[in-house]
Amino acid sequence: NAGVTQTPKFQVLKTGQSMTLQCAQDMNHNSMYWYRQDPGMGLRLIYYSASEGTTDKGEVPNGYNVSRLNKREFSLRLESAAPSQTSVYFCASSGRENSEQFFGPGTRLTVL
Amino acid sequence: AQSVTQLDSQVPVFEEAPVELRCNYSSSVSVYLFWYVQYPNQGLQLLLKYLSGSTLVESINGFEAEFNKSQTSFHLRKPSVHISDTAEYFCAVHGTYKYIFGTGTRLKVLA
């Protein structure tokens, strides 16, 4: 099992450019999540999907959109990147309610 | 609303010394608590979890945490740390479909 995979690992964008971060899991988990990690702020939830076909906003959704393409895949889109979106982005998944999350390796995004 | 507080942003400790990383939470519902570890340039990995039952939970690499409902705490302890324990540690509480993370504690083990 690969677990949770994310692409790309690194990305540099110019202000105003768009991009999609991809995430896939092979553990048959129902729930998937997108977080951003910034120094001194821990992990902040951007969006989550409790099950296939549903998505909900987290703590910091502004400037992002998501798509739960199928049970395996959950993508995060930046329509018009801003320097404030420079961060490390993590995708995670979880199976049963209240069970632990499994994290991907992260995408380091820099917006110039 | 649920929240998690990790009071110490950095904890330096000498090798083979004991360590405690503090975590306090607030929640109006039943809690499920987790500690994750993040090594440099990697994602988070589960260290241990409390779902129910015994309030003392242990990990395979010598860490333990105790759920204390009256003090709303879930502190992480290790009696003797190794250089390889140098990492960032995150406490998390589970809410409805969502997990709330603390801001992390950077543990630096000194030789």
Side-chain angles (χ1 to χ4, degrees):
Chain A
N1 284 349
V4 180
T5 57
Q6 291 183 238
T7 56
K9 285 187 172 21
F10 301 93
Q11 184 71 48
V12 178
L13 294 177
K14 295 180 180 178
T15 296
Q17 288 185 316
S18 62
M19 78 161 296
T20 300
L21 281 66
Q22 306 286 356
C23 173
Q25 53 91 9
D26 61 2
M27 296 172 282
N28 201 36
H29 284 168
N30 286 322
S31 302
M32 298 186 72
Y33 309 79
W34 276 106
Y35 294 92
R36 58 178 290 172
Q37 183 179 28
D38 303 290
M41 304 192 76
L43 273 73
R44 292 182 292 169
L45 183 65
I46 305 171
Y47 271 93
Y48 67 100
S49 171
S51 61
E52 186 179 355
T54 68
T55 60
D56 285 286
K57 294 178 180 179
E59 183 184 354
V60 288
N62 291 345
Y64 305 95
N65 284 302
V66 291
S67 295
R68 183 75 183 266
L69 305 170
N70 47 55
K71 193 170 186 180
R72 290 186 64 249
E73 298 172 288
F74 189 38
S75 63
L76 178 72
R77 183 161 179 84
L78 287 69
E79 291 291 352
S80 178
S84 61
Q85 294 178 305
T86 293
S87 188
V88 181
Y89 291 86
F90 288 100
C91 177
S93 70
S94 65
R96 293 173 290 108
E97 181 71 13
N98 304 328
S99 64
E100 68 266 28
Q101 292 183 305
F102 293 80
F103 285 81
T107 294
R108 191 173 296 272
L109 175 67
T110 300
V111 183
L112 302 174
Chain B
Q2 294 173 309
S3 66
V4 176
T5 302
Q6 292 182 249
L7 291 170
D8 306 303
S9 60
Q10 293 189 69
V11 174
V13 62
F14 285 103
E15 195 174 18
E16 298 183 6
V19 70
E20 178 179 82
L21 306 183
R22 296 180 292 169
C23 173
N24 288 89
Y25 68 91
S26 67
S27 176
S28 58
V29 298
S30 297
V31 292
Y32 306 93
L33 295 158
F34 305 83
W35 275 100
Y36 289 85
V37 59
Q38 184 181 32
Y39 298 104
N41 299 314
Q42 295 187 24
L44 280 70
Q45 305 170 36
L46 180 71
L47 191 60
L48 45 77
K49 62 185 176 184
Y50 170 78
L51 301 180
S52 64
S54 173
T55 58
L56 184 66
V57 290
E58 299 177 351
S59 72
I60 58 173
N61 57 355
F63 283 94
E64 64 178 31
E66 186 162 17
F67 170 57
N68 188 319
K69 189 173 182 179
S70 62
Q71 297 187 5
T72 61
S73 67
F74 190 55
H75 300 333
L76 182 69
R77 301 184 182 96
K78 190 171 185 179
S80 176
V81 296
H82 302 287
I83 295 287
S84 59
D85 293 323
T86 294
E88 190 156 20
Y89 293 80
F90 292 92
C91 182
V93 61
H94 181 271
T96 306
Y97 297 119
K98 293 186 290 188
Y99 298 77
I100 309 299
F101 285 83
T103 51
T105 297
R106 196 173 296 275
L107 174 64
K108 185 167 179 60
V109 181
L110 309 168

